[in-house]
Structure formats: structure tokens, C-alpha cells
Amino acid sequence: MPRHAKKPRPLVADGRPYMWTMRHSHRKDNDGRSVDCRQILTFSPQPAGTGGPLRIVFTEGPGRYVPGGAYTGSGDVGFTQGAGLNLHEPGAARALLGVALARGWQPEERRPVELDGCLLLEPAAAARAAYAGGPKESEGDFSPSGT
């Protein structure tokens, strides 16, 4: 039976459990048309109420892509001339979370935090590639330094 696309998924990073979801959204312009395609990866520290959510947001723009076109998969984000990830993959989500943690995101803070996913993409893709040769995605912990 396939996984329900909107159901939160468990993930562990640096010994701490999280639940994560991925959503696709659009802003409406003055005429009511959908514009500004966005892919949002949200991590919620567990147990619930122990910290605020982290939202990693990928937006369309020059030199980058997000899902929504004929040439990309539903979870693909990246640069047209560079790094890319599939946000459906737990290893990609784990890599992005690891980079956010390494750059100072504090999961204990109770306020929501939003980060530009394009700023995290290249180091996360590099960490993901390095991690791909290690244990299966469902095993163990991830840290961006590979330790």
C-alpha cells in the first residue's frame, strides 16, 4: 500500500527525532492566477511541542527549478547548472536538515524558522552524495560532516 503523500514521516538527525512533510504551493496574483511556485520541506522536532518547526523553502527563479513543469519530477529541486535533490527521498531531507543544523538552526527554539532552500542545496547535495555510499537511508543518523 503506498504512503499517503501528506502524512508526516519520521526522521532522526544528530540523535533527535523529527517529523517531516513536503508541500507544494503557489501564491495568487491580483487576477487570481497561481504564480511563484514553491516547494516547502517542514521539520517538526519531536516530541511535539519541544521546538518550533523549520521550513526549508525552494522557490522558482532564474537558474533554478522546482516541481511543476513537464521536465521535473514532483519532488525535484535544484539549479539548472548544478546541484539538485529529490525531496521525496528521506536521504535528501536528512541532508538538508543536517546542513540547517550545522549552520546554526536551533530546534529547541519555539518559534517557526524559514530558510531559503537554495542556500542549503549545494552542501546538502554534496552530503547526500557522500552519504549514499554509507548505510541505507532508514539506518542510523546523519551528520553533514559524515561522522
Side-chain angles (χ1 to χ4, degrees), residues 31-136:
D31 295 325
R33 292 184 303 238
S34 292
V35 295
D36 298 334
C37 189
R38 298 165 40 112
Q39 195 75 10
I40 304 166
L41 201 58
T42 302
F43 296 94
S44 300
Q46 298 298 304
T50 61
L54 169 64
R55 293 182 190 97
I56 299 177
V57 181
F58 294 89
T59 58
E60 64 185 350
R64 53 188 172 188
Y65 60 89
V66 295
Y71 302 106
T72 61
S74 69
D76 292 339
V77 295
F79 297 112
T80 55
Q81 299 291 317
L85 290 170
N86 182 332
L87 301 182
H88 288 296
E89 297 175 357
R94 186 179 295 138
L96 287 160
L97 178 58
V99 172
L101 288 164
R103 291 192 176 180
W105 176 62
Q106 300 293 319
E108 300 81 22
E109 290 184 22
R110 300 235 179 233
R111 65 179 177 80
V113 173
E114 187 170 297
L115 298 176
D116 181 349
C118 290
L119 298 176
L120 308 177
L121 186 61
E122 287 184 345
R128 173 76 176 110
Y131 186 69
K136 293 180 182 175

Side-chain angles (χ1 to χ4, degrees), residues 25-36:
S25 69
H26 298 267
R27 182 181 60 81
K28 301 272 187 200
D29 69 7
N30 292 337
D31 295 325
R33 292 184 303 238
S34 292
V35 295
D36 298 334

Side-chain angles (χ1 to χ4, degrees), residues 9 70 72 147:
R9 301 169 72 178
T72 61
T147 58

